[in-house]
Each structure stands twice: as structure tokens, then as C-alpha cells.
């Protein structure tokens, strides 16, 4: 058994765990990050790609701006498409110049891994049998196996950044947590296509057949999604059928439609809203998807993870610098205020833009009326815009 010590043990090397390690390093705080998947798996998996202004600002302030400034695509608004027309929501005009940046989550992860390597601090991939223990007391521990060898890390704190299927949250006694959950009876079929984006900004569409989203990753790669069943059989969709459905749902009367191209990757994701309260148990702090899941319609998942770990890193810095625990004690409440606000927004965007199974023609007409109101009222557009670009970080 190899025994080591660190200040903060971080479980999970997704955006939450890696960003936390980065922010702690800048504060001079030591951490060990462990990840049960391989480095290639973590870097390759295709995830969301919308960064809020606050996330972009934080990346720049902490030395992660170089590739982001070169390859990120700054967008000053989005389109909403329904009844054959596209309507632009002008974020910059409505929020005093704020916007979003399209930059794949896996690119963020690559930048964070590079920063971790520069810091020289430990990051273990492909670990097995991870367990967290004794976080009720002052000496929490993390156990795992790496290259056949058993490891024990003694920590001051454990950060559970291990996503929605991790081990940290289930290690907390169920009686100490309250879990709020909502299932949507649909999912998204997502594709990555080798095709130049046909629009310079995202298009969220509602059509009689359901929701579709046009997004992008670069000047040559388009990312597209279609509402489908949560357990949709991908095998039953030919490339042609996917494109035909995307064109039907996204296309507008002026002839606009996405460009077709070879489909490089495809997948189905179900949609859920989950909040775990509180986000702390003793010396174990949950952050990112380990504590909450949002449906992707509001593009909040990655940004919430970043905001959690920023709050946590500041609280830990306060503790190590001044011995004060106040910010750590307030961590859960501080994060949950933002989490619930993002849950509200993501639920609202999702409900407005999808056709729920069992909903009726009345609901569809009401949704169209809501979109018509939204795209004609400056007050309503401002509400969407300020939530989409995100609240300033605390
Ligand atoms: N031990 C170590 N690592 C684990 C374990 C475990 N037992 N279980 C899971 N992990 C790892 C996963 O393999 C993953 O790499 O924890 C990481 C969690 O990363 P994410 O799922 O990306 O979650 P998070 O870092 O909170 O980022 C949230 O990711 O899911 C998207 O939409 C979400 O964009 C948001 C972001
Ligand atoms: C994406 O580009 O993957 C994306 C964009 C907007 C969303 C969700 C996903 O709301």
C-alpha cells in the first residue's frame, strides 16, 4: 500500500475536477486528482460547447485564454426558429455587451490537462476501485488501485467531482441528502458533421415534429441535435433520415437549412434535472454533475461546474490563508442559489422548445404563442439573454 498526503483530494478529472486543481494550484494549495477513465477517453468524448462570459473571463484570468482566444467562436446572440421563421435574440444589445463563446468542452479539458502537466502536480488516469472514507472526521481518505498497486491518500478535504455516476455522492448517508429530480420523457439525438456551419449563430427550433438545435464546433464542423425518445434506437436512423428530419425541423421559409456533410459521430442522451442538497457533507464537497444535472437546452452544465469550483477554491484559499471556515460553511448555499436559477432557466427553455409526449395541440399552440411573445417583447428577450449569458460569478 502506497500512502501519501495532500491538502485536497479530487475525485474525477472532468471540467470540475481539473478546473478545481488549476485554481487551487494558483492559490498555492496542493491537490491530487484521480480519474477512473483513460486520458484519451476523457479528451475525446463529445460534450457541450457553450461558454458563458464569466467562464471565458475566468479562463483568461487564470492563464487558459490562449487557444480559447484563437479558436473560440464569440457569438453575440442566438436564433429562435418556429412557424417557418428565424428570430434573433441580440445578447450584446440586451445585456450591455455580454455574449457567449463556442468552444468544445473537450477543448477546455485539453487546456486544463496541459495546465496540470505544467504545474507538476499529480493526476492519475485509469485508476480502479475508488473509495472515499472518514470524511465525517478531520482526516478523510481516498483509496484506489493504480497499475496494480493499492493507494491511500490522506487529505484535509475531498472534492467529489466525479459526475452523475461517481462514487462520492453515494458514499454520503442517504438520510443526510435530499435529492430533487425531474425526468423528461425525451432525449436528444446528437451528431457531429463535417460541414461548414450554415449560420453564424446557434438556432433553437420548435416544429410540429419537435425540437432541433443547430450548433457548431469550428468553421468546418457542425453540431446538430434532434428531440427523440430517451431510449431512441440509433440503428434505426440512416444518415439521410437524420438530415431529412433536421431540415424539416430547422429549415425556414426563406430557404435556410443546415449544410449536409459526412456524419463523424452520433449519440443519444436522455434529459434530466437533478439537484442534491446540501452539496457538502463534513469534509466532502460535491461539485459539478456530481451535485446537479441540467437538461442541455440552456447550455448550463459546464458553466455551473466551473462556478461551483470557483466558489470552492476561494473558500479553501480563505481557509488555508486565514484559518477561516465561513466560506466553506456557506459553500452549499452559495452554489445552490445559482444552481436553482440555472435549473429554472434550463427547465423553461426545455419546456418551451420541446413537444412532450402526452401533450396536446393546445400545448403546442401555447408554446408558439410564448415564442411569439418572447421574440416581440424586449423585456422577455432580455430575460432570456441575461440568463443565457449567465449571472456574474460571485
Ligand atoms: N473515480 C474517479 N473518477 C470518476 C469516478 C470514480 N469512481 N466516477 C466517475 N469519474 C470521472 C468520470 O470518468 C469523469 O471524467 O469523473 C469525471 C466527471 O466529469 P464530468 O462527467 O464531465 O462532470 P463535471 O466535471 O462535473 O463536468 C460537468 O460535464 O456532463 C457534462 O454537461 C455536463 O458540461 C457539464 C460537465
Ligand atoms: C452544443 O454545441 O453542443 C450545444 C449548444 C447549445 C446547447 C447544448 C449543446 O444548448
Amino acid at each position: 500500500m502506497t500512502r501519501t498526503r495532500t491538502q485536497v483530494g479530487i475525485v474525477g478529472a472532468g471540467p470540475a475536477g481539473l478546473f478545481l486543481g488549476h485554481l487551487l494550484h494558483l492559490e498555492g494549495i496542493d491537490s491530487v486528482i484521480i480519474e477512473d477513465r483513460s486520458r484519451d477517453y476523457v479528451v475525446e468524448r463529445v460534450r457541450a460547447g457553450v461558454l458563458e462570459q464569466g467562464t471565458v473571463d475566468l479562463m483568461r484570468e487564470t492563464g487558459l485564454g490562449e487557444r480559447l482566444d484563437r479558436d473560440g467562436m464569440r457569438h453575440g446572440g442566438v436564433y429562435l426558429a418556429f412557424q417557418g421563421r428565424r428570430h434573433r435574440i441580440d445578447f450584446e444589445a440586451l445585456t450591455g455587451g455580454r455574449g457567449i463563446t463556442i468552444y468544445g468542452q473537450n477543448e477546455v479539458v485539453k487546456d486544463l490537462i496541459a495546465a496540470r502537466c505544467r504545474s507538476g502536480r499529480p493526476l492519475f488516469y485509469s485508476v480502479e476501485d475508488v473509495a472515499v472514507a472518514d470524511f465525517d472526521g478531520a482526516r478523510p481518505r481516498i483509496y484506489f488501485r493504480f497499475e496494480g498497486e493499492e493507494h491511500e491518500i490522506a487529505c484535509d478535504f475531498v472534492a467529489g467531482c466525479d459526475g452523475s455516476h461517481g462514487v462520492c455522492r453515494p458514499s454520503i448517508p442517504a438520510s443526510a441528502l435530499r435529492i430533487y429530480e425531474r425526468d423528461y420523457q425525451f432525449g436528444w439525438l446528437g451528431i457531429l458533421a463535417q460541414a461548414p456551419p450554415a449560420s453564424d449563430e446557434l438556432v433553437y427550433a420548435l416544429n410540429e415534429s419537435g425540437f432541433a438545435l443547430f450548433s457548431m464546433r469550428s468553421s468546418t464542423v457542425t453540431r446538430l441535435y434532434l428531440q427523440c425518445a430517451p431510449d431512441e434506437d440509433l440503428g434505426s436512423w440512416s444518415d439521410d433520415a437524420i438530415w431529412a428530419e433536421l431540415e424539416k425541423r430547422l429549415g425556414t421559409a426563406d430557404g435556410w437549412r443546415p449544410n449536409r456533410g459526412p456524419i463523424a459521430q452520433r449519440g443519444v442522451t436522455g434529459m434530466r434535472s437533478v439537484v442534491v442538497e446540501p452539496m457538502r457533507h463534513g469534509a466532502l464537497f460535491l461539485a459539478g454533475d456530481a451535485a446537479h444535472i441540467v437538461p442541455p437546452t440552456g447550455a448550463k452544465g459546464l458553466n455551473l461546474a466551473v462556478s461551483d469550483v470557483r466558489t470552492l477554491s476561494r473558500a479553501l484559499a480563505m481557509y488555508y490563508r486565514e484559518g477561516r471556515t465561513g466560506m466553506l460553511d456557506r459553500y452549499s448555499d452559495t452554489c445552490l442559489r445559482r444552481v436553482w436559477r440555472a435549473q429554472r432557466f434550463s427547465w423553461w427553455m426545455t419546456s418551451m422548445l420541446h413537444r412532450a409526449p402526452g401533450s396536446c395541440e393546445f400545448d403546442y399552440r401555447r408554446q408558439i404563442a410564448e415564442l411569439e411573445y418572447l421574440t416581440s417583447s424586449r423585456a422577455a428577450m432580455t430575460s432570456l439573454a441575461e440568463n443565457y449569458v449567465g449571472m456574474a460569478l460571485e
Side-chain angles (χ1 to χ4, degrees), residues 196-227:
S199 158
D200 53 352
E201 291 175 338
L202 272 50
V203 183
Y204 286 88
L206 174 64
N207 169 280
E208 271 165 10
S209 312
F211 170 81
L213 170 60
F214 168 93
S215 180
M216 65 198 74
R217 285 294 176 273
S218 70
S219 59
T220 54
V221 177
T222 309
R223 177 90 172 131
L224 297 137
Y225 299 94
L226 279 178
Q227 177 184 348

Side-chain angles (χ1 to χ4, degrees), residues 15 32 52 79 86 124 142 162 177 185 196 198 217 219 227 271 295 314 323 342 356 378:
V32 175
E52 292 178 358
Y79 292 98
R86 275 197 296 165
F124 294 91
I142 301 177
D162 48 351
L177 293 179
Q185 306 298 313
R217 285 294 176 273
S219 59
Q227 177 184 348
M271 290 226 209
R314 287 159 72 96
R378 189 176 171 90

